[in-house]
Amino acid sequence: MNENRGPDGLAAEWAVLGKHPGRSMGYDVLDGSLPGNRAQRYLWSATTGTPDAREPAGALPWRVFLSGADGEARSVCAVVDTSWDGAKDGTGRPSYTWRLLLLEWPAASRAGVTWTALDRAVSRARSGSARFDAAPAGVRATAVELADTVDRLGFEWAAGMAALLLEGGQLVITAPPGGTLPGLDERVRTLDAICSLLPYGCRAWLSGATWTGKAEHDLRLVFAASARSGQQEAPLGTGRPPTPRSGTADRYRTELLRLRTKRGSTADVVAHLLAATAALPPGDAAEAVRVLQELDMLDSVLSEIRHGRGRVDDVQRLLELHSVESLDEEQLGTVVVFLADCALRPGAGAAQALLTRHWMTRIPDLLAAHVVARASSMQTLAQAKGYLTLLLGLEEAHPGSFDRLFTALATTPGYDPAWVGSLVCTVEREFGHGCEAVDRVLLDSREAGLAWLGMLFEARPRDLRPLSRLVALAAETHVDQWPGWLRFAGLLTGEFGAAEVVATDAAEFAAGHRDAWRIALETARDHGRPDVIGPMWTVLRQLVRSGGHDRMLAVLDDVAPPGATEVPPETAADADLLRVSAPIGGVGGRLAPTMRRLRRLGADAPGLDAYTAAVVRRTEAEPELKDRVVEALLGDEPDPGSASWAVLSRWMRQRPSIEPAVRAGLTRRLTSAAHARWIDLDLPEDLVDGLVHRDGLAWLRPVRQLRAAAADGAPPNELGRIVAGAYPHRGFSPQLLDEVALLVRQHGSEFAFGLTAELDSQVQGLGLALYRALGGSRQYQDVREGLIRHSLQQESRHRAILTALGAAGTIPSAGTVPSAGVGGGAGAWTGARPAAPSPEPEPPARTGTARPVPLPTAADYPPKGRRSGFLPRFRKRRDS
């Protein structure tokens, strides 16, 4: 095509098809500017049938609008006029004429030539008032004119027709029921108006006709008497055409209706679509939707994004039409989030490029706002991490964007602090990034700090350097302003001493993770900080109660080794008490291992007061623990010179209320088979007073007195007084006999003879009763045999003495000795020696081994005001 230099800037190609006068066969290209073969292709493509006088609506002229032809690869903008001037061929049949006016697509699209303009150009040429190839630009239809036609047709009907064309089928407009079709000019305007509701670029494949006969054709939008098979029929003026079958075409129709309603002007819609002159592929409804939405580009693109149908190309076009500065906060946020999400998917280059090209400092804030607009979850945490990854990649082009996004996410007022703590730990662990503003969030929010702490502890390998960093940051403020968990962390890192940290601090720290107690103990072990045990007492005690003592005690011994001299006394006491509070394990478990740190101290160790103070403090409100500690201090075996007895003595002086527990423990030991080991304890008299009144312990005082007197080398009369004093009311208890037998074994039968003689001097016949008691028990068989040997030797010697004195015949027999009661009258306690020996008293009834003694009762408590307590001195134990 050749463009002239005329005012219209266009020149059309043309051709005329017809018959020479008198010719009967075939139609030929009679004239034109196009090569004949090319002209024929267009002209024959416009042949839609033979006019029929029986169809008034099909009266000539016909107009066919073409965008191409078989054998032609390029799009054009053409019109073919079919007319009859009354001429006939050689056979007498009508000789029709086809006139072609053709514009090449590039020139036509630049000029925006419409079918109405082509029709008017043809009409002018046929009237003889203008050249047939005259440019149509001067008479082209305006957007307002086409919009008026659309409104006359009904916008909804015209919009539906335009959407149906996008589906690629053939659409036939028929007369309304009981009505007729309009004239030629109105039909052209109708065809053009329907096409004007599609992007102008669709005319690169659209075609139409004001009438089609019975011949087969491929035209898209035509008037006809009726639709044939495969075509869709839409009667004119019925209000609504058939509904599009494809979702995209129907969406185009919906968008047309929405934009018309929103803008209130059909002309605006038509003008926008006429300006979209870039050729569109046939049937590309999605691209047509995109072009249409450019009329309302901002709202439509935002709507598509919100419905999950957004495209990066649309956003690019939007940003070409609207600067980012012109968008409000919500609009910009929608676009930014869409591009960020696209930039995180495969093939993200275009989205990243758009973000970079249209970068604004508000972008990190908008991304953060999008994340925290939803409730906290693992999904929002993953989304935040994705955006941080994206901005880390853009950091070189936009320095500081990563930190800005991180800070905005972590400092959002009112957002879930636990989520924030998890985010901070994730960013530090995976990106190696932290900032002071975010750290202060951890200091100000207990929940955020504990969540951060929990994730910090979960990491493998565990790195506590971030904890040290927070402690250092908090050091800028007064310690009272620190969160409790961080104060305890300061103890672990050496910032604080145990005296500056309270139990609630440790409890808050332990709440951050199920294994926080173990992590704290391991950290204390690695850094030589056994004093953390004190503040952790409540946490560890609860762990014992819940059955977790096995794991805890193993670590505890590493933190505060039993033999370590650097462990403070208070800490040693706490560690010992925790072990005491744990189950000993199995029936008959021994108490000896439970207070190993104390048992390695001497009775005069300088830290015993502090140790005792810790014991008193920890057991004050726990009666059960108090009883267990008393039992542990008493131990499995008496250890008079140990620190355990020293602590117990101090404890009773400070808290006399524990004496019943001590008495109960001693009672169990003194009534056991191994009671002899416990007799030497240097007990205060008021404690002994409470013991001797218990069932089965009346023997305790005389036995202790006898043992003490013998150890001090008391004379026989003193020993006899003690034994005799125990007899009148109690008899010879098994324990007293044990002590006497022990003395006899140690000092021989001569000692027994002297003791029994002294007893007889105290109470008549008492010595003989002692002999009977010793001789009547298999337990003292060795003592009995020794006494028998000694007595036989004495008897033999006495007989020899009597014989030497000449009095051998005067010895009375045993049966002639006069009898007398023992202890039956007042003379029994006079101490006067009788003229003749009396028979021995009846031996006391053996009670057997000591019976168990019941737990202390109120009667066992000493009167108020009586001072009690162990003396720190014990006598030397004798072999039993």
Side-chain angles (χ1 to χ4, degrees), residues 126-151:
R126 290 182 69 245
S127 67
S129 60
R131 288 169 48 86
F132 190 74
D133 60 348
V139 290
R140 74 174 60 115
T142 64
V144 172
E145 182 183 357
L146 290 170
D148 289 342
T149 303
V150 169
D151 289 337

Side-chain angles (χ1 to χ4, degrees), residues 680-870:
D680 277 339
L681 296 179
D682 193 359
L683 303 176
E685 285 305 310
D686 53 353
L687 188 59
V688 176
D689 288 342
L691 290 171
V692 298
H693 289 93
R694 288 174 175 265
D695 187 21
L697 287 179
W699 56 267
L700 180 60
R701 177 171 278 115
V703 170
R704 284 171 52 83
Q705 290 174 345
L706 181 62
R707 183 175 288 192
D712 289 341
N717 63 331
E718 176 65 18
L719 299 179
R721 182 189 65 76
I722 296 172
V723 175
Y727 176 77
H729 302 292
R730 306 173 184 82
F732 294 119
S733 66
Q735 293 82 0
L736 183 61
L737 285 177
D738 285 345
E739 288 301 312
V740 173
L742 181 61
L743 291 172
V744 173
R745 291 187 182 103
Q746 290 177 341
H747 301 290
S749 299
E750 184 67 32
F751 168 82
F753 181 79
L755 177 62
T756 55
E758 184 61 33
L759 290 177
D760 283 334
S761 70
Q762 298 272 344
V763 178
Q764 191 174 23
L766 186 57
L768 193 58
L770 178 59
Y771 277 123
R772 181 177 288 112
L774 291 172
S777 174
R778 294 181 181 179
Q779 184 178 354
Y780 313 119
Q781 188 65 28
D782 60 324
V783 175
R784 174 178 175 276
E785 291 173 355
L787 291 174
I788 291 174
R789 287 194 300 272
H790 178 74
S791 296
L792 289 175
Q793 290 172 359
Q794 292 299 316
E795 181 182 17
S796 175
R797 183 170 181 275
H798 288 162
R799 288 186 182 278
I801 292 173
L802 290 173
T803 299
L805 294 174
T810 64
I811 301 175
S813 64
T816 64
V817 179
S819 62
V822 179
W829 289 96
T830 62
R833 192 179 298 276
S838 301
E840 64 273 23
E842 290 297 323
R846 291 295 294 237
T847 60
T849 59
R851 290 175 293 169
V853 178
L855 292 174
T857 64
D860 297 317
Y861 287 80
K864 291 184 178 180
R866 175 178 295 176
R867 186 176 180 185
S868 62
F870 279 114

Side-chain angles (χ1 to χ4, degrees), residues 65 115-116 119-120 141 145-146 148-150 152-153 182-196 210 223:
F65 301 96
W115 291 353
T116 302
D119 177 74
R120 288 173 178 167
E145 182 183 357
L146 290 170
D148 289 342
T149 303
V150 169
R152 284 200 314 274
L153 295 170
L184 175 64
D185 291 343
E186 184 62 20
R187 292 184 204 179
V188 172
R189 283 191 291 270
T190 297
L191 296 176
D192 208 5
I194 292 173
C195 291
S196 73
T210 57
F223 283 88

Side-chain angles (χ1 to χ4, degrees), residues 281 305 328 461 484 583 616 720 759 788 859 879:
I305 290 174
D328 63 27
V616 173
L759 290 177
I788 291 174
D879 296 332

Side-chain angles (χ1 to χ4, degrees), residues 572-634:
D574 285 337
D576 280 348
L577 294 180
L578 287 169
R579 182 170 285 278
V580 167
S581 64
I584 296 174
V587 178
R590 293 175 59 79
L591 293 167
T594 57
M595 304 192 79
R596 294 182 295 168
R597 294 162 189 82
L598 175 61
R599 295 184 190 281
R600 283 173 169 77
L601 299 175
D604 299 323
L608 288 186
D609 287 337
Y611 189 101
T612 304
V615 170
V616 173
R617 183 175 69 257
R618 298 300 187 196
T619 60
E620 197 70 27
E622 293 195 57
E624 180 184 354
L625 178 61
K626 183 185 298 184
D627 292 341
R628 291 180 68 89
V629 176
V630 168
E631 281 293 297
L633 289 173
L634 288 173

Side-chain angles (χ1 to χ4, degrees), residues 23-39:
R23 186 173 179 178
S24 58
M25 299 297 294
Y27 284 90
D28 293 320
V29 175
L30 302 179
D31 197 2
S33 62
L34 284 172
N37 58 348
R38 188 181 182 204

Side-chain angles (χ1 to χ4, degrees), residues 425 448-459 511-514 519:
C425 193
L450 289 179
W452 173 84
L453 187 67
M455 285 198 67
L456 183 69
F457 288 161
E458 287 283 357
H513 192 270
R514 62 182 179 277
I519 295 166

